Amino acid sequence: AQSVAQPEDQVNVAEGNPLTVKCTYSVSGNPYLFWYVQYPNRGLQFLLKYITGDNLVKGSYGFEAEFNKSQTSFHLKKPSALVSDSALYFCAVRPSNSGGYQKVTFGTGTKLQVIP
Amino acid sequence: KAGVTQTPRYLIKTRGQQVTLSCSPISGHRSVSWYQQTPGQGLQFLFEYFSETQRNKGNFPGRFSGRQFSNSRSEMNVSTLELGDSALYLCASSQTSGLINNEQFFGPGTRLTVL
């Protein structure tokens, strides 16, 4: 069975500082990995994905994530945090051999609080 | 292109009632998935539909059901509502197929409150 772990319920960072939101996964075979962001009372918005290729993936709003196969991690990063980045972040995984089915598993989410 | 729409946005029901939620995917998307989001359990997968067929189902009781129409619109139904069914129900669509590994696009959700 596949799973995603987001070990931190909340991450606090000062505005302008770099931020990291951690994610580790477990899946059979090669993973497809995703990050989504959810603002209050909204649905999830796609940020970025790793399918194959370069381990460093760049996404929306200046976010990037690094795929590390040996550590089975896909941490979300941003060089300089903005107050507007404060939201709930979800990591998700799906096996590459899912035959086109979604079969996506989401982490429990990490609340990012950027302090002015 | 219009995004994923869900109706209604808010719903209040009482225990024992049943409810139907609707989701219209992005035009051209044939895969629709439903999720239940609660503070304690996070995002839980309910089911996925593709071309009017349910092809994946999460670990929910039979009170939760769904269907997809020929225009890819989807509905989910919850019968005999329980207090624990109070949640945000999210619908997501994608162009997923055997060769396309696209992300899901989420609707704003339907907030269901069971009293």
Side-chain angles (χ1 to χ4, degrees), chain B residues 22-79:
Chain B
S22 180
C23 170
S24 292
I26 291 172
S27 177
H29 287 192
R30 295 168 63 191
S31 170
V32 174
S33 297
W34 288 89
Y35 296 87
Q36 181 195 66
Q37 185 179 18
T38 58
Q41 299 295 321
L43 270 167
Q44 303 283 309
F45 171 75
L46 280 155
F47 25 65
E48 181 199 0
Y49 287 88
F50 185 85
S51 293
E52 302 178 64
T53 301
Q54 185 186 92
R55 38 183 220 171
N56 201 11
K57 191 176 190 301
N59 189 27
F60 277 81
R63 300 186 296 107
F64 291 81
S65 63
R67 60 179 176 169
Q68 187 180 33
F69 302 95
S70 57
N71 61 357
S72 293
R73 189 177 71 85
S74 177
E75 289 181 348
M76 67 163 282
N77 184 278
V78 188
S79 62

Side-chain angles (χ1 to χ4, degrees), chain A residues 32 34 36 38 41-44 46 49 51 88 90 94 99-104 106 108, chain B residues 9 31 33 35 37 43 48 55-56 88 90 94 96-98 101-104 106-108:
Chain A
Y32 293 148
F34 307 84
Y36 290 85
Q38 185 178 34
N41 300 313
R42 304 280 296 276
L44 276 67
F46 169 76
K49 65 182 177 184
I51 301 298
L88 188 58
F90 289 93
R94 174 189 149 198
Y101 296 3
Q102 274 297 337
K103 290 187 179 179
V104 177
F106 284 84
T108 52
Chain B
R9 291 293 311 276
S31 170
S33 297
Y35 296 87
Q37 185 179 18
L43 270 167
E48 181 199 0
R55 38 183 220 171
N56 201 11
L88 181 66
L90 293 166
S94 71
T96 300
S97 74
N101 306 300
N102 282 339
E103 63 276 13
Q104 294 176 298
F106 283 80

Side-chain angles (χ1 to χ4, degrees), chain A:
Chain A
Q2 63 200 48
S3 64
V4 176
Q6 293 182 243
E8 301 153 317
D9 289 337
Q10 181 159 336
V11 170
N12 297 321
V13 63
E15 186 176 25
N17 281 4
L19 69 88
T20 298
V21 182
K22 295 179 181 177
C23 170
T24 58
Y25 66 89
S26 173
V27 71
S28 174
N30 292 320
Y32 293 148
L33 294 155
F34 307 84
W35 275 102
Y36 290 85
V37 60
Q38 185 178 34
Y39 297 98
N41 300 313
R42 304 280 296 276
L44 276 67
Q45 296 178 32
F46 169 76
L47 276 179
L48 51 81
K49 65 182 177 184
Y50 171 82
I51 301 298
T52 187
D54 194 348
N55 289 344
L56 185 63
V57 178
K58 293 188 183 297
S60 306
Y61 312 121
F63 284 93
E64 58 188 29
E66 186 165 13
F67 170 61
N68 188 316
K69 189 172 183 178
S70 64
Q71 297 185 2
T72 61
S73 67
F74 190 57
H75 301 330
L76 181 70
K77 299 181 181 183
K78 187 173 182 181
S80 178
L82 300 173
V83 173
S84 57
D85 292 330
S86 298
L88 188 58
Y89 290 80
F90 289 93
C91 181
V93 68
R94 174 189 149 198
S96 62
N97 59 354
S98 65
Y101 296 3
Q102 274 297 337
K103 290 187 179 179
V104 177
T105 298
F106 284 84
T108 52
T110 297
K111 183 179 180 181
L112 174 66
Q113 190 74 39
V114 181
I115 303 161

